[in-house]
Amino acid sequence: MLFCTCSFSCTHKWDDHVGIADPASQKTLYDVIRAAPEFSGFMDLVDRSGYAGDLKSSRNFTVIVPTNEAIGEAKTAYDFNDSAVVRSFVGYHIINSVYNVNEASDTIRAKNLRNKYVEFTHGNFDGVPALKKNIVAANGLYHVVGTSLKPLANIYNLVSTTFPATAQVNNVLLMDTTSYQNWLSEIKRPMTTENSKYTYFVVDDDYFNAEYDRLRPFYHTHYDEAAGAPADSTTSFFTRKALLRDFIVAGAVTIGDQVTHLVSVSGTAFSIDPADILSRHKASNGVVYRVKKQLCSLQDRIREFKVMGNQPSGYKQSGKSGNIYFRVKKDTLGNLYNDVEIRGHGVSAFYAKYRAANANTVTYKVYGRAIMGLTGDPQTDDFTQYVHFFDPSIESVNEADLYKRPVVNDQGANDVRMPWSVTLLNHDEVYLGEVTQNEFGNMRLLVMANGTGPIILEYLRFVPVIQ
């Protein structure tokens, strides 16, 4: 919003917008509020906070002004002898830009000078009703409240101070060191960011510990914690991170009388039974529920994944870009799909390499889809291609020989590759066999041509075998 303080017409338009015309609108917020004796307590804090200059400037603000009685009550909760407390308290009541009160409008989140957000909801500010509203000054407007706003902690600080003794929060705090930098984006950032809302669940210790023990075998690595291995490469680290990210949901969720089905920021589906809710806490960036447990199956935590054919990490050799086609086509049912076709390369056992990140320590059933013979495809004859998996125990100068991990093929026989017969116009998935991932992390594989034959791949799908 723009202010025009020297033009009658601009002032008149501004008065029409907020619904109030007042000669005081030619004065700054600082002067208007300072002139009212009933706000002297707040303005004394403004003078001490360092924000007085802002309210005297030409920048636009909205100020939530507590009455003297409200400041008197606040003195019992805040140490106003501490300059940092004063600055934080005052800054929370000053909003960047201009927000008038409209009791019929939906919630607006307005950012204050402390980089927090105040919710304007139907004439209330964080639930505090306005005694007076939309009072105009030259550089903004102010609203009056009978109770000062209470700065809310973000989710991270709230659970750290309210539930520090729980096993879950202990594990959160354990991760908050320089040794675990790559946990920030998945776990801590949603707990601390102010410009979005999240819902966080804190569970009972027995449930947390049981889920940790249940997940641990699926995140096995060879790094020995006792031997001083990198802290963010161990089985404990990956297990802890996988479990902790499943307690965070995007958005501020209200749990009603029925079981609520949710999906965590990591994509894990779970449910919350309202009978398991122990308490609810509002945070500056969402809400925290203290619950007994989640309703979540192991199959929901250890999920299938796909390797897409049009996302290779490399090839047997370079210089064959003219033989590699990334296609967008329609299958026999009319559905669009993307794939890769490699043909006419003239190289025996040519291959495309792929890598799947964060594969669990588990046996996977492997399925694939490759469609050939559709309109415009020169390949119309059935052919065979092979899927190979990297075996870290093999040493060889020949790259292809490194990809001979033992597998079980589609016939149930032990093998070092999965043969894949691609037949004309078959748009169904094909079962290829089973492969066991012995360590959590990257799963490296390649799709290899039979002789100088073609390669076609839409995707490979890996389904964990969970007993």
Side-chain angles (χ1 to χ4, degrees):
M1 298 183 181
L2 297 176
F3 281 83
C4 181
T5 61
C6 60
S7 166
F8 173 80
S9 61
C10 290
T11 303
H12 182 68
K13 289 180 180 179
W14 175 243
D15 293 341
D16 287 345
H17 177 71
V18 298
I20 295 178
D22 193 307
S25 64
Q26 301 302 309
K27 300 178 181 179
T28 67
L29 282 164
Y30 181 89
D31 292 331
V32 173
I33 301 171
R34 168 57 78 184
E38 62 268 33
F39 307 137
S40 60
F42 178 70
M43 292 308 293
D44 288 344
L45 295 176
V46 169
D47 288 335
R48 294 168 50 198
S49 70
Y51 288 123
D54 295 275
L55 299 186
K56 295 176 183 179
S57 72
S58 60
R59 293 170 55 201
N60 299 329
F61 297 99
T62 300
V63 186
I64 313 298
V65 183
T67 61
N68 287 342
E69 291 76 12
I71 294 299
E73 293 177 0
K75 288 179 178 178
T76 64
Y78 300 98
D79 180 11
F80 289 144
N81 293 317
D82 187 330
S83 59
V85 172
V86 171
R87 185 168 177 81
S88 178
F89 179 87
V90 172
Y92 199 87
H93 290 75
I94 302 176
I95 310 297
N96 280 300
S97 194
V98 176
Y99 295 86
N100 64 304
V101 171
N102 183 348
E103 295 185 3
S105 66
D106 293 330
T107 298
I108 295 174
R109 300 185 74 223
K111 189 176 183 179
N112 60 31
L113 296 187
R114 303 307 296 172
N115 292 318
K116 297 282 189 176
Y117 287 82
V118 177
E119 292 188 351
F120 286 47
T121 308
H122 303 304
N124 295 336
F125 317 106
D126 284 347
V128 177
L131 300 179
K132 298 179 182 179
K133 57 192 177 186
N134 302 334
I135 305 172
V136 177
N139 59 340
L141 52 79
Y142 71 93
H143 315 293
V144 180
V145 291
T147 301
S148 63
L149 304 185
K150 182 181 179 180
L152 297 172
N154 60 39
I155 291 172
Y156 181 84
N157 290 331
L158 191 156
V159 301
S160 299
T161 56
T162 308
F163 307 111
T166 62
Q168 178 180 332
V169 176
N170 272 327
N171 275 270
V172 170
L173 298 177
L174 179 63
M175 296 277 277
D176 197 7
T177 71
T178 56
S179 298
Y180 301 110
Q181 288 301 302
N182 65 357
W183 84 295
L184 293 174
S185 61
E186 296 181 78
I187 300 172
K188 189 175 182 181
R189 186 164 295 127
M191 298 176 72
T192 56
T193 186
E194 294 287 349
N195 59 2
S196 299
K197 284 194 171 185
Y198 295 89
T199 300
Y200 190 79
F201 297 92
V202 180
V203 298
D204 282 353
D205 289 357
D206 288 346
Y207 176 80
F208 181 87
N209 292 330
E211 288 297 287
Y212 179 89
D213 291 342
R214 187 166 67 149
L215 283 180
R216 188 176 174 89
F218 297 94
Y219 290 90
H220 168 75
T221 75
H222 72 274
Y223 293 99
D224 185 356
E225 298 169 71
D232 60 355
S233 301
T234 64
T235 302
S236 296
F237 168 76
F238 288 119
T239 307
R240 187 181 296 117
K241 186 174 75 166
L243 182 55
L244 289 176
R245 67 189 182 185
D246 283 348
F247 298 117
I248 310 169
V249 174
V253 177
T254 299
I255 308 296
D257 297 331
Q258 305 297 319
V259 172
T260 300
H261 304 286
L262 302 166
V263 178
S264 73
V265 293
S266 64
T268 298
F270 67 95
S271 300
I272 295 294
D273 188 332
D276 288 329
I277 297 175
L278 301 176
S279 60
R280 183 182 186 276
H281 308 262
K282 186 176 181 181
S284 64
N285 59 336
V287 61
V288 173
Y289 286 91
R290 176 68 175 87
V291 298
K292 295 178 182 177
K293 63 181 183 299
Q294 291 175 313
L295 304 176
C296 185
S297 69
L298 187 58
Q299 286 80 359
D300 285 322
R301 296 199 193 276
I302 309 300
R303 301 190 299 277
E304 68 175 57
F305 64 87
K306 284 183 177 180
V307 170
M308 306 307 296
N310 63 351
Q311 298 174 3
S313 59
Y315 305 96
K316 179 176 183 178
Q317 67 183 63
S318 60
K320 295 297 178 179
S321 58
N323 304 105
I324 301 170
Y325 304 88
F326 296 103
R327 310 184 301 179
V328 179
K329 299 182 73 68
K330 285 186 178 180
D331 65 17
T332 54
L333 300 178
N335 300 312
L336 282 174
Y337 70 96
N338 300 81
D339 74 355
V340 65
E341 181 175 27
I342 305 173
R343 65 175 185 268
H345 48 82
V347 177
S348 181
F350 188 80
Y351 53 79
K353 297 185 290 186
Y354 295 89
R355 180 171 57 199
N358 301 321
N360 289 108
T361 311
V362 69
T363 295
Y364 288 96
K365 289 186 177 294
V366 185
Y367 302 84
R369 193 166 100 136
I371 306 175
M372 67 90 175
L374 294 171
T375 301
D377 187 356
Q379 181 65 37
T380 57
D381 295 328
D382 295 352
F383 67 92
T384 298
Q385 58 191 11
Y386 302 96
V387 181
H388 294 246
F389 294 88
F390 180 77
D391 187 340
S393 66
I394 297 175
E395 296 183 6
S396 175
V397 295
N398 181 15
E399 183 179 50
D401 289 338
L402 301 175
Y403 288 79
K404 291 185 177 180
R405 182 189 304 184
V407 297
V408 176
N409 64 30
D410 61 327
Q411 301 301 312
N414 294 328
D415 205 333
V416 292
R417 63 182 183 179
M418 294 179 179
W420 184 352
S421 296
V422 181
T423 57
L424 182 66
L425 296 180
N426 177 25
H427 70 277
D428 295 325
E429 281 189 346
V430 175
Y431 174 65
L432 301 176
E434 293 186 357
V435 61
T436 298
Q437 180 79 352
N438 295 316
E439 184 166 5
F440 176 76
N442 291 331
M443 176 185 282
R444 296 164 59 185
L445 60 106
L446 54 83
V447 179
M448 179 182 290
N450 180 22
T452 58
I455 295 172
I456 296 179
L457 176 62
E458 181 188 354
Y459 65 78
L460 293 166
R461 184 166 67 94
F462 295 81
V463 181
V465 179
I466 298 176
Q467 304 299 328

